[in-house]
Amino acid sequence: MSDKKYDFLDQVQEQIKAIEAKEMISHELNHHINSEKKRLVQTGIEEEEAERVAIKQMGSPVQLGQRLNKLHRPKTDWWLISLLVVTIGLSFLPLMFWNLDLNYYFERKIIFSVISVMIITGLMFFDYRKLYNWKWFFYLMGLFVLALLVLFPTTYTNGIPVLRVGPFGIDSTQTLLLFYVGFSALIISSKVSYWKFLLLCAVPIFFFLIVLDPNSIFVFSAMTVVLLWFSDVSKKRILLLAVSSLAVMFSAGYLLWGNLDDYQKDRILGYLNPTEYANSSGYMYLQAKELLKAAGWFGQRGEQVFIPTGHTDFVFLSLTYHFGWMLGIILFLVLAMLMTRMIYVTFKINDSFGKMLVVGGLSLFSVQFLYSIAMTLGLLPIIGISLPFISYGLTPTIMNSIVFGIVLSVYRRKNLVFKQSITS
């Protein structure tokens, strides 16, 4: 690079505030100057003079740098941040109706919220593009954790193996975050064909089946289908895959019905006909229905009613009963606006890896949000699934914080083009 071109590019870069934009802009300007220089040389102008003319055509380096700085200035999605603040604020309301030590759990909730804000903020400033080269690490680490759960579980929760590491319990749900990042990169790699991608998806599902975690299978399957839908894969192939998968699942369920334990059959039949199983698996469906009916618009704050897992799986039921349908609708709208905002961001991202990260994060959030509400209303079977940010617990809070931190990181760099090698 000649001294003139170096000085020009250096002056332009001095006006650029975003560090990650400097290299990209310098590369583009250098390419433009070289292209124009080559064209001028072909007209008979000497090489040194051609470069001088090409640089002069670019105009003032200071003014050019200022314009490019404005264009590539990092963006902050204040709408998404505002909705997250409101959601985290609403998550403190369920604590008011626990028959537990309020001060202890209130302090823990504050700590969880501070950790959440720190994760979201830190990841927003982190350059998400660095995650691309770690795609195989995330995928293989997810498989490694699943293998440990199968081979060396330390305890069991509701029949699902758990690895206890100090105060933390790791189950198959946590691997979804690893697969989320890994598959967001793998799906845009030219070395991973459609059939290879399906094979990569089949391995985690095999492990989820071994650990008997239908929740993770459901969320994982929804995430991969959504990623495929927004990829370059033919929509006909995706629809065929979805229909075939559902057919296989129902067929397998029918064939395996005789091998299920009594309590597993009881849970399925309790959902299909809760009245006949009112004293067992159908109880919670009937209880939820009665509590929602009794809630009214402004709730039953004067009455203390025990709601099983009312701070986690049935937190929407707990909030609606005690504060009324008015708050229930407000909470639903806030979470729906979070989901809608993520959909909006999806169509604003040009970088393929960034788009897949937003799409994958959208699917993880939406499945939790919509299933949790539908489960409370009795529209879907009851499973152990949290309402994002509202349900009490450190692990689900961290997982959702990581997702939204990555989404904000992508949005912050939405005007930058990721030059990743999708052949790697």
Side-chain angles (χ1 to χ4, degrees), residues 335-373:
L335 294 175
M337 285 191 286
L338 269 174
M339 184 177 71
T340 304
R341 185 62 187 181
M342 293 176 76
I343 294 173
Y344 169 83
V345 171
T346 298
F347 293 100
K348 291 294 180 180
I349 307 301
N350 295 318
D351 167 41
S352 56
F353 180 46
K355 183 183 288 290
M356 289 299 105
L357 284 172
V358 176
V359 166
L362 169 64
S363 63
L364 288 178
F365 171 80
S366 300
V367 169
Q368 294 179 80
F369 158 48
L370 295 176
Y371 197 104
S372 180
I373 301 294

Side-chain angles (χ1 to χ4, degrees), residues 397-414:
T397 299
I398 288 177
M399 289 183 63
N400 286 293
S401 299
I402 291 174
V403 168
F404 277 93
I406 291 175
V407 171
L408 287 169
S409 175
V410 175
Y411 186 87
R412 183 175 173 81
R413 295 157 182 84
K414 69 185 184 73

Side-chain angles (χ1 to χ4, degrees), residues 154-155 162-170 394-395:
T154 56
T155 184
V162 177
L163 282 174
R164 186 66 60 181
V165 181
F168 297 99
I170 301 174
L394 178 59
T395 301

